[in-house]
């Protein structure tokens, strides 16, 4: 089970001069892929770091590494798996000391922090257009900064609406909301008729970016072409008003201001919310922890705004600029993210691949006989990739933008500021950041 999580270590950022960061979802290699990178170094050892993939995927990676080493005699891969809450500290320390691993599994939100400090290998001169075009174009953009590519897309998750059919029946609701406007109306009905909540969303600045993404789905431009705040607009005011009103009307749990996305999963598993906006990988967790709720669960497309935009969360692969063996490292990065290997990993991990060829496999297009909820979720998720994009702008300090908006949303929710003042203060905080 894989999640795209967030984590922070303020002391390390201070050492590097960065103020805030976080991370909030093989066996058949394609030999031609391994010849796309420049190959001035075809021997030696490279170190590959992943996040929280042992022991569940140990067999998978051991098989993949063995296949790579067989095809690339002289290159040895040392796989190191790092806990979620330890990666940020570990990679920041290694990069600062100029002793990084050669290949690292991160996500764009976090990787972009160091991309802004020139920590990663510039891939635009290393990877051919042909290879680059094998990945989904919108997904490739997620690992670019200032027009330069610093990462290779790996596995993806896109949110679905997981819903409890029993709770909807109790509330007399026979239609799953498709938009945030519909969700607000359904939230009132569920609260009034069942005493429970429709859903949970977190406003903890260091946690999920789902609310920030909802602004984009509602048609808000977060920043302009110069990187200045653009959300102090009619659309921005409407988005602020939407979330503030939901909270003041008692349609969001009070712990939305203090607890993160994990609380939303716990509430859904406890039967206290009707909807969970999350990736299909959580269905297995619900089945294990709350079998009765799992039996009542179905999936629907992701809720969006009038734009119809859908989110996708990306995990990528980067090669540190200070790698001792960058050519071999890039060769391995392209190998582990090629179409065949991505397909195998996606099947093992219940995630989505980022290569076009992988998504053409029947596994993502056709339901098996007697499909399960998980089967349907997989097809829905893959279908959404046609509209999906990374909704947050690629900014090296994107978490400061989220912090400014979330903290001022909270102030308005608690009547410490008017909505107008909250927006203006968030705008000022972003534009005056140092």
């Amino acid at each position: 089970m894989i999640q795209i999580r967030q984590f922070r270590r303020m002391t390390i950022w201070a050492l590097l001069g960065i103020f805030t960061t976080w991370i909030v979802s093989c066996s058949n290699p394609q030999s031609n892929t391994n010849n796309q990178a420049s190959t001035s170094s075809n021997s030696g050892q490279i170190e590959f770091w992943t996040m929280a993939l042992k022991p569940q995927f140990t067999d998978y990676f051991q098989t993949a590494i063995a296949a790579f080493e067989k095809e690339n005699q002289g290159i040895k891969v040392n796989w190191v798996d790092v806990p979620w809450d330890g990666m940020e500290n570990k990679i920041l320390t290694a990069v600062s000391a100029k002793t990084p691993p050669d290949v690292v599994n991160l996500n764009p939100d976090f990787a972009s922090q160091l991309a802004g400090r020139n920590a990663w290998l510039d891939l635009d001169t290393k990877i051919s257009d042909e290879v680059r075009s094998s990945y989904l174009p919108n997904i490739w953009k997620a690992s670019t900064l200032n027009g330069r590519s610093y990462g290779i897309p790996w596995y993806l998750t896109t949110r679905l609406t997981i819903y409890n059919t029993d709770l909807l029946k109790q509330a007399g609701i026979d239609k799953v909301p498709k938009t945030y406007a519909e969700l607000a109306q359904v939230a009132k009905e569920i609260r009034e008729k069942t005493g429970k909540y429709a859903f949970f969303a977190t406003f903890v600045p260091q946690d999920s970016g789902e609310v920030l993404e909802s602004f984009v789905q509602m048609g808000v431009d977060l920043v302009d072409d110069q990187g200045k705040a653009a959300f102090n607009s009619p659309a921005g005011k409407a988005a602020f008003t939407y979330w503030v009103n939901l909270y003041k009307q008692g349609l969001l749990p009070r712990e939305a201001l203090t607890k993160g996305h994990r609380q939303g999963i716990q509430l859904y598993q406890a039967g206290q919310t009707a909807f969970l906006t999350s990736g299909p990988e959580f269905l297995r967790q619900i089945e294990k922890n709350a079998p009765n709720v799992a039996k009542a669960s179905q999936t629907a497309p992701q809720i969006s705004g009038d734009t119809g935009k859908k989110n996708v969360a990306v995990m990528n692969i980067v090669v540190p600029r200070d790698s001792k063996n960058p050519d071999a490292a890039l060769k391995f990065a392209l190998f582990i993210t090629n179409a065949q290997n991505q397909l195998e990993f996606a099947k093992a991990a219940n995630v989505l691949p980022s290569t076009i060829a992988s998504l053409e496999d029947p596994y993502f297009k056709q339901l098996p006989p007697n499909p399960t909820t998980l089967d349907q979720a997989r097809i829905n998720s893959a279908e959404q990739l046609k509209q999906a994009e990374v909704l947050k702008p690629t900014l090296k300090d994107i978490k400061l933008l989220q912090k400014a908006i979330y903290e001022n949303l909270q102030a308005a929710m608690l009547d410490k500021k008017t909505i107008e003042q909250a927006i203006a203060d968030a705008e000022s905080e972003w534009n005056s950041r140092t």
Side-chain angles (χ1 to χ4, degrees), residues 223-413:
V223 296
D224 62 21
D225 292 341
Q226 287 71 48
K228 295 291 186 180
F231 54 82
N232 192 350
S233 63
K237 182 178 179 180
F240 260 78
T241 301
Y242 177 87
W243 289 110
V244 170
N245 285 349
L246 278 178
Y247 186 82
K248 286 187 173 182
Q249 292 166 12
L251 301 179
L252 285 172
R254 295 305 174 193
E255 61 266 33
L257 305 190
T258 58
K259 295 189 177 181
H261 181 70
R262 295 294 304 175
Q263 179 69 7
I265 299 170
Q266 292 171 7
L267 288 173
Y268 184 81
Q269 290 179 161
Q272 295 301 307
T273 55
F275 303 108
L276 173 64
T277 56
S278 197
E281 67 272 16
F282 284 103
L283 286 167
R284 285 176 177 162
Q285 179 177 329
I286 296 167
E287 187 175 51
K288 177 181 178 181
N289 297 338
N292 289 335
V293 172
K295 289 179 183 178
S297 293
Q298 296 293 329
T299 64
Q302 181 183 146
I303 293 171
S304 185
D306 292 339
T307 65
K309 291 182 176 181
K310 302 291 194 298
N311 107 300
V312 62
V314 180
M315 292 298 273
N316 62 10
I317 297 288
V318 297
V319 176
R321 185 176 292 273
D322 289 323
S323 164
K324 300 300 186 292
N325 204 344
D327 295 327
L330 183 54
K331 179 174 282 193
F332 179 73
L334 290 171
F335 170 84
I336 208 69
T337 62
N338 72 27
Q340 183 60 42
N341 291 336
Q342 285 218 39
L343 176 61
E344 295 299 323
F345 186 68
K347 289 180 178 181
N350 193 31
V351 293
L352 298 171
S354 61
T355 58
I356 296 170
S358 302
L359 286 166
E360 290 301 315
D361 190 87
Y363 181 73
F364 294 108
K365 290 179 170 293
Q366 300 173 9
L367 285 171
N370 303 313
T372 65
T373 302
L374 193 60
D375 290 328
Q376 186 63 62
R378 179 179 68 252
I379 302 301
N380 286 343
S381 293
E383 179 69 20
Q384 284 188 163
L385 282 183
K386 295 177 181 178
Q387 302 168 281
E389 58 186 288
V390 176
L391 298 177
K392 292 180 290 184
T394 303
L395 301 166
K396 67 182 179 65
D397 43 8
I398 183 65
K399 294 314 298 175
L400 292 180
L401 178 62
Q402 180 170 312
K403 181 175 182 288
I405 290 177
Y406 280 27
E407 287 183 346
N408 281 284
L409 273 170
Q410 288 200 27
M413 290 170 173

Side-chain angles (χ1 to χ4, degrees), residues 117-148:
R117 299 180 64 87
N118 205 29
W120 312 130
L121 194 67
D122 184 345
L123 301 181
D124 288 325
T125 60
K126 299 288 186 178
I127 297 178
S128 69
D129 290 341
E130 180 183 0
V131 172
R132 177 170 171 162
S133 67
S134 67
Y135 299 87
L136 294 165
N138 282 348
I139 305 305
W140 185 276
K141 291 178 185 177
S143 296
T144 63
L145 184 67
N146 299 326
R148 306 301 296 174

Side-chain angles (χ1 to χ4, degrees), residues 15-305:
L15 289 172
L16 294 178
I18 301 173
F19 295 108
T20 306
T21 187
W22 61 289
I23 305 194
V24 335
S25 115
C26 284
S27 58
N28 296 307
Q30 294 177 331
S31 59
N32 63 332
T33 301
N34 295 309
N35 296 322
Q36 301 298 335
S38 60
T39 56
S40 60
S41 176
N42 286 309
S43 62
Q45 180 167 295
I46 59 175
E47 190 161 279
F48 171 45
W49 287 9
T50 58
M51 289 193 290
L53 297 181
K54 284 185 179 180
Q56 187 172 358
F57 304 106
T58 296
D59 290 345
Y60 174 86
F61 283 105
Q62 287 178 341
T63 300
I65 289 169
F68 175 81
E69 291 176 344
K70 181 178 180 180
E71 188 169 315
N72 296 273
Q73 297 293 322
I75 302 178
K76 297 295 180 183
V77 180
N78 178 31
W79 175 34
V80 177
D81 194 59
V82 181
W84 285 107
D85 58 359
M87 176 62 91
E88 180 177 331
N89 190 333
K90 193 174 179 69
I91 190 61
L92 285 172
T93 301
V95 167
S96 179
K98 296 187 180 299
T99 57
D102 301 284
V103 185
V104 190
N105 160 213
L106 296 172
N107 84 353
D109 265 4
F110 178 53
S112 65
Q113 310 294 323
L114 288 180
R117 299 180 64 87
N118 205 29
W120 312 130
L121 194 67
D122 184 345
L123 301 181
D124 288 325
T125 60
K126 299 288 186 178
I127 297 178
S128 69
D129 290 341
E130 180 183 0
V131 172
R132 177 170 171 162
S133 67
S134 67
Y135 299 87
L136 294 165
N138 282 348
I139 305 305
W140 185 276
K141 291 178 185 177
S143 296
T144 63
L145 184 67
N146 299 326
R148 306 301 296 174
S149 304
Y150 65 82
I152 302 170
W154 193 11
Y155 63 87
L156 317 171
T157 61
T158 180
R159 285 195 304 268
L160 291 172
T161 302
I162 303 171
Y163 62 96
N164 186 320
T165 57
D166 289 343
L167 273 181
L168 294 192
K169 288 178 182 177
Q170 291 177 33
I173 296 169
D174 57 9
K175 182 181 178 183
V176 178
K178 296 180 180 179
T179 66
Y180 286 110
E182 292 175 359
L183 178 61
Q185 181 57 46
V186 166
K188 292 180 182 178
E189 296 174 16
I190 290 174
R191 189 70 175 146
E192 291 171 358
K193 295 179 181 178
T194 71
K196 297 181 179 180
Y197 293 99
F199 70 110
F200 176 89
T202 180
F203 298 86
V204 174
Q206 298 80 20
D207 204 86
S208 169
E210 183 177 346
V211 170
L212 192 66
E213 291 174 339
S214 78
F215 274 55
V216 179
Q217 292 174 309
M218 294 179 190
V220 180
D221 291 324
L222 294 175
V223 296
D224 62 21
D225 292 341
Q226 287 71 48
K228 295 291 186 180
F231 54 82
N232 192 350
S233 63
K237 182 178 179 180
F240 260 78
T241 301
Y242 177 87
W243 289 110
V244 170
N245 285 349
L246 278 178
Y247 186 82
K248 286 187 173 182
Q249 292 166 12
L251 301 179
L252 285 172
R254 295 305 174 193
E255 61 266 33
L257 305 190
T258 58
K259 295 189 177 181
H261 181 70
R262 295 294 304 175
Q263 179 69 7
I265 299 170
Q266 292 171 7
L267 288 173
Y268 184 81
Q269 290 179 161
Q272 295 301 307
T273 55
F275 303 108
L276 173 64
T277 56
S278 197
E281 67 272 16
F282 284 103
L283 286 167
R284 285 176 177 162
Q285 179 177 329
I286 296 167
E287 187 175 51
K288 177 181 178 181
N289 297 338
N292 289 335
V293 172
K295 289 179 183 178
S297 293
Q298 296 293 329
T299 64
Q302 181 183 146
I303 293 171
S304 185

